[in-house]
Amino acid sequence: QVQLVESGGGLVQTGGSLRLSCAASGRSFSNYDLGWFRQAQGKEREFVAGITWVAAVTVYADSVKGRFTISRDNTKNTVYLQMNSLKPEDTAVYYCAARRLNIPTNEAQVDYWGQGTQVTVSS
């Protein structure tokens, strides 16, 4: 079992920044690569960014490239999503996700989910 706990969501104005955190715990969580997904109201959940535990290889959705940065701190077992230049269309519930030995890039690949954290960008 892997437990994922997100934090850092909130309300921000267009052009602002937020940093989300995902704290991972459980047996063998270091065998899992992590990613961030988001789900806007009335829309399907979509991949945002992912990172491997080893070598910190990163992957981003085109919609967030150049604005969002995913990183991890292995000493704290935590993955971060720094979100800059936020837009109203970034408004969504953001979920941390874990997949064994590879970055999850779609919902079907996810082994574990966090509970989600709301991000709202006002215009």
Side-chain angles (χ1 to χ4, degrees):
Q1 282 280 6
V2 173
Q3 291 80 43
L4 305 171
V5 179
E6 302 101 330
S7 61
L11 174 64
V12 65
Q13 291 185 334
T14 297
S17 299
L18 280 175
R19 188 177 80 158
L20 306 182
S21 301
C22 173
S25 62
R27 294 185 63 182
S28 302
F29 65 85
S30 58
N31 290 330
Y32 290 79
D33 294 333
L34 296 186
W36 288 95
F37 287 71
R38 66 186 181 186
Q39 187 169 23
Q41 193 168 8
K43 296 187 177 181
E44 294 185 352
R45 191 149 42 183
E46 63 176 3
F47 170 76
V48 175
I51 188 167
T52 60
W53 276 114
V54 178
V57 174
T58 58
V59 178
Y60 295 93
D62 288 343
S63 59
V64 305
K65 280 181 182 176
R67 300 189 298 122
F68 291 11
T69 303
I70 189 170
S71 62
R72 89 276 192 261
D73 184 339
N74 288 356
T75 65
K76 297 181 178 180
N77 301 330
T78 299
V79 172
Y80 304 98
L81 185 67
Q82 177 67 44
M83 305 184 294
N84 299 327
S85 301
L86 283 161
K87 306 173 182 180
E89 50 264 44
D90 295 316
T91 295
V93 178
Y94 283 71
Y95 296 90
C96 186
R99 179 190 183 193
R100 182 173 171 81
L101 300 179
N102 211 338
I103 294 173
T105 57
N106 65 65
E107 287 188 85
Q109 297 170 343
V110 175
D111 294 314
Y112 297 99
W113 292 100
Q115 82 285 356
T117 185
Q118 176 71 47
V119 171
T120 303
V121 185
S122 64
S123 57

